[in-house]
Amino acid sequence: MKTFFRLVALVKPYLWWMALAAFIGFATTGSGIGLLMTSAYIIAKAALQPPMVALQVGIAGVRFFGLARGAFRYAERLISHNITFKILAKLRLWFYDAIEPLAPARLMHFKSGDLLQRVVDDIQSLENIYTRVLGPPLTALLVTALMWFLLGSYSVSAAMIILCFHTLAGIGVPILTMQLSRGISVGIMKHKAEEQVLALDLIQGIGELQLYGNLPAHLAAMQSAETGKLQLQRKNAVIEGLHESLTGLLMNGAVITILWTLIPSISSGATANGIALSVITLAVMASFEPFLPLPSTIKHIEADQHAGERLFEILDAKPETIAPANPIPFPSEHAIQVKRLSFTYPGSTAKALDSLSFSVLPGEHIAIVGPSGAGKSTITALFMRFWNSREGCINIGGHNITLFDPEELRRNIALVSQKTYLFAETIRENLTLAAPGATDDDLKKALTAAGLSHFASKLDEWCGQHGMKLSGGERQRIAIARILLQRAPIMILDEATANLDGITEKEVTETLTAISAGKTLITITHRLKAMEKYHRIFVLEKGKIVEQGVHSELMAGNGLYRRMWELQHMTELG
């Protein structure tokens, strides 16, 4: 239950609102009880044909409780739904604020479909924490106290009877339901998560599944997950019908028992009369209404606890990089020194980088080249502090980058990666990520400089999911526009043109060359094109620098760089 109490702590700011909603829910049920009691009184009293004045109190009570019940029901729904939506918004913001520092290092072991399930469905299930878990038991408890007071004024034995039956309905039936439905809610959530992962894998990898002949097996796995979920949902429906029937059975049992107890005393005239008995009977029947949702409360506790465990599994992870207690400002002098930098990814034994050392002067343009798997992109990840290295260091302006606030560091290093990510928003919103205070004129100038002058009039055009309404070249140019707006003194191009066609690659490369003038530029690539423009080139193999120099010097040798250049250019010529 530790997870459940942690979840309850998250909604603690809304405690008084939840108490108010529960009290109004009690008032709604109480008005329903009062309505039936006064209605029973009028019907039973009218059967004795009294003067009209004797029915006035009952008539006024019916009017009052009828209007009050509708008003209280509306107020209860209004307040409870408002609380629910506030709790849901708080949970989403809380989860995003907690998960954002974990990316990408701590999230690499989770599949995107599984993360999506946690972000959407698991948090969505927690909206029940008040309406289905915390509120109903409190309302039922207040109704039990009300019935003890009402029936106790007529008969203590009747009050004891209703207390026993309410206890069975409020504790016994939920416990029985819990035993019968143990694991069902969790099982349904697991099947949904499995379906989410399989569906996303199908959408993103249908080509590979067809190529390797695994599509039928993948579809069979999806069908199996759906079948398992439907079976659990059917079982869940049967159990829900059962607990509703049991609650109804207890209600009838309470009515019969109370009648059995009170009728002899009424016949002898020792206690209340027959009119009171009819009033008590309908009050008992109405009092069981708030007990109907209680068995579901147990199932929602189980589901909420499972959802909470899945969320806390991520959130309890310690971020790979954290801001220092007293970060220093980013220096105005941007000389870069990499000293004996080594890094090994978690779960791997091979070093991605092995005692790497090099320096970059302010305004210098260097290229880091090498075959796939040489460790080039790891350098980018360490520069941006997506990961921390346990061996060696990266200094900028003579200061270790771990002394800077990570956000401040990233604002001063502009990155264009192989895959530019665009949010499913407008072009304007994707650009202002780099400069939140940028004006329309700033955005238009950046787009024009990036070769997208025709987009200057389309700032409010939607980019599509992952920017798929735009071509690969347009997405890369959007990235270029963003780094123009960012105005960072250091630029890193990590395979920035790897997925572009030859013509677009040439245009994007020329644009990047133009905007990098006067800035420190680190280009990371395996494609050896326009290498003559770089002041120095570092050749990386198995995490180590095996060659360095300018293009002409490296071509004069007979090393890896020349072999890569000849292979690529011979392939292009061929």
Side-chain angles (χ1 to χ4, degrees), residues 431-442:
L431 288 174
T432 51
L433 287 172
T439 65
D440 282 4
D441 287 340
D442 294 332

Side-chain angles (χ1 to χ4, degrees), residues 242-556:
L242 175 62
H243 77 65
E244 289 178 4
S245 300
L246 288 174
T247 303
L249 185 62
L250 289 172
M251 177 195 71
N252 293 325
V255 170
I256 294 171
T257 305
I258 289 175
L259 288 174
W260 183 273
T261 303
L262 295 183
I263 285 175
S265 60
I266 291 174
S267 300
S268 63
T271 57
N273 56 28
I275 294 176
L277 185 61
S278 64
V279 171
I280 291 172
T281 301
L282 289 185
V284 169
M285 295 175 66
S287 70
F288 279 84
E289 178 187 352
F291 291 87
L292 287 172
L294 292 187
S296 296
T297 296
I298 301 295
K299 293 190 296 182
H300 284 294
I301 289 177
E302 182 185 30
D304 290 348
Q305 182 157 321
H306 177 69
E309 288 171 353
R310 282 168 51 82
L311 296 176
F312 287 125
E313 180 187 356
I314 297 176
L315 301 183
D316 287 342
K318 184 180 179 181
E320 173 68 18
T321 58
I322 57 175
N326 298 299
I328 64 174
F330 196 82
S332 57
E333 198 273 322
H334 307 123
I336 298 172
Q337 285 185 319
V338 177
K339 297 180 179 180
R340 302 188 62 80
L341 189 65
S342 297
F343 183 76
T344 303
Y345 285 100
S348 174
T349 57
K351 287 187 175 182
L353 296 177
D354 188 1
S355 297
L356 194 70
S357 297
F358 64 89
S359 61
V360 186
L361 299 176
E364 188 177 15
H365 290 190
I366 71 163
I368 300 176
V369 303
S372 298
K376 303 186 300 299
S377 293
T378 303
I379 297 175
T380 301
L382 295 177
F383 261 99
M384 303 302 292
R385 287 204 68 197
F386 297 151
W387 295 91
N388 280 331
S389 175
R390 305 293 185 268
E391 302 177 45
C393 64
I394 300 175
N395 293 338
I396 297 179
H399 302 286
N400 193 309
I401 61 172
T402 58
L403 300 177
F404 308 135
D405 183 284
E407 294 302 318
E408 179 70 13
L409 174 70
R410 292 161 192 160
R411 280 194 292 269
N412 285 276
I413 300 179
L415 172 66
V416 181
S417 62
Q418 180 176 352
K419 184 179 181 181
T420 297
Y421 188 90
L422 298 182
F423 288 92
E425 295 290 351
T426 62
I427 293 173
R428 181 197 308 277
E429 289 170 318
N430 274 288
L431 288 174
T432 51
L433 287 172
T439 65
D440 282 4
D441 287 340
D442 294 332
L443 301 181
K444 291 175 182 178
K445 288 178 182 178
L447 287 170
T448 301
L452 292 175
S453 56
H454 57 291
F455 275 20
S457 60
K458 301 178 181 179
L459 291 176
D460 295 313
E461 184 174 297
W462 190 56
C463 293
Q465 190 70 27
H466 303 299
M468 289 304 172
K469 285 190 68 178
L470 308 177
S471 68
E474 288 172 334
R475 290 196 293 273
Q476 291 300 83
R477 289 182 182 276
I478 291 287
I480 293 171
R482 282 202 293 222
I483 65 174
L484 283 168
L485 291 166
Q486 188 174 347
R487 296 187 174 93
I490 301 172
M491 290 176 53
I492 297 179
L493 309 180
D494 187 357
E495 303 284 8
T497 61
N499 295 326
L500 304 179
D501 61 84
I503 296 176
T504 306
E505 180 184 15
K506 184 175 182 297
E507 293 173 351
V508 170
T509 300
E510 290 174 352
T511 304
L512 289 170
T513 301
I515 67 173
S516 62
K519 297 183 178 183
T520 302
L521 175 66
I522 300 175
T523 299
I524 296 172
T525 182
H526 69 279
R527 300 176 63 150
L528 307 185
K529 291 190 175 183
M531 291 289 108
E532 300 85 356
K533 67 181 182 181
Y534 291 103
H535 299 123
R536 282 184 296 160
I537 301 170
F538 297 95
V539 185
L540 207 63
E541 185 178 26
K542 295 181 179 179
K544 295 182 178 182
I545 294 177
V546 294
E547 293 180 272
Q548 59 179 299
V550 297
H551 173 70
S552 57
E553 293 173 348
L554 294 173
M555 287 299 294

Side-chain angles (χ1 to χ4, degrees), residues 98-277:
I99 199 175
E100 189 268 340
L102 301 179
R106 297 303 184 195
L107 302 181
M108 64 181 297
H109 301 298
F110 296 94
K111 290 187 176 181
S112 54
D114 184 40
L115 281 175
L116 182 63
Q117 175 76 16
R118 297 177 194 235
V119 171
V120 178
D121 290 348
D122 287 352
I123 290 182
Q124 188 74 30
S125 71
L126 295 181
E127 71 175 351
N128 298 316
I129 200 168
Y130 165 69
T131 55
R132 304 289 180 85
V133 175
L134 301 179
L138 182 56
T139 301
L141 185 62
L142 292 173
V143 169
T144 298
L146 174 65
M147 292 304 296
W148 173 268
F149 173 77
L150 291 176
L151 269 63
S153 62
Y154 286 102
S155 168
V156 175
S157 59
M160 292 299 297
I161 291 170
I162 195 64
L163 178 61
C164 292
F165 278 94
H166 276 181
T167 302
L168 288 173
I171 299 177
V173 174
I175 290 177
L176 176 62
T177 301
M178 178 182 67
Q179 295 298 326
L180 294 176
S181 62
R182 188 180 298 276
I184 290 180
S185 297
V186 173
I188 291 173
M189 294 178 70
K190 287 182 178 178
H191 282 302
K192 285 184 176 179
E194 183 181 359
E195 284 183 319
Q196 190 90 41
V197 172
L198 290 171
L200 197 60
D201 287 346
L202 177 66
I203 293 171
Q204 295 181 344
I206 189 169
E208 288 82 357
L209 290 171
Q210 288 179 321
L211 179 64
Y212 292 100
N214 289 333
L215 184 58
H218 192 86
L219 294 175
M222 293 181 68
Q223 182 62 47
S224 176
E226 177 67 14
T227 301
K229 184 187 74 173
L230 290 176
Q231 288 176 346
L232 291 177
Q233 287 176 335
R234 292 190 191 100
K235 185 177 180 181
N236 188 55
V238 171
I239 294 173
E240 285 185 355
L242 175 62
H243 77 65
E244 289 178 4
S245 300
L246 288 174
T247 303
L249 185 62
L250 289 172
M251 177 195 71
N252 293 325
V255 170
I256 294 171
T257 305
I258 289 175
L259 288 174
W260 183 273
T261 303
L262 295 183
I263 285 175
S265 60
I266 291 174
S267 300
S268 63
T271 57
N273 56 28
I275 294 176
L277 185 61

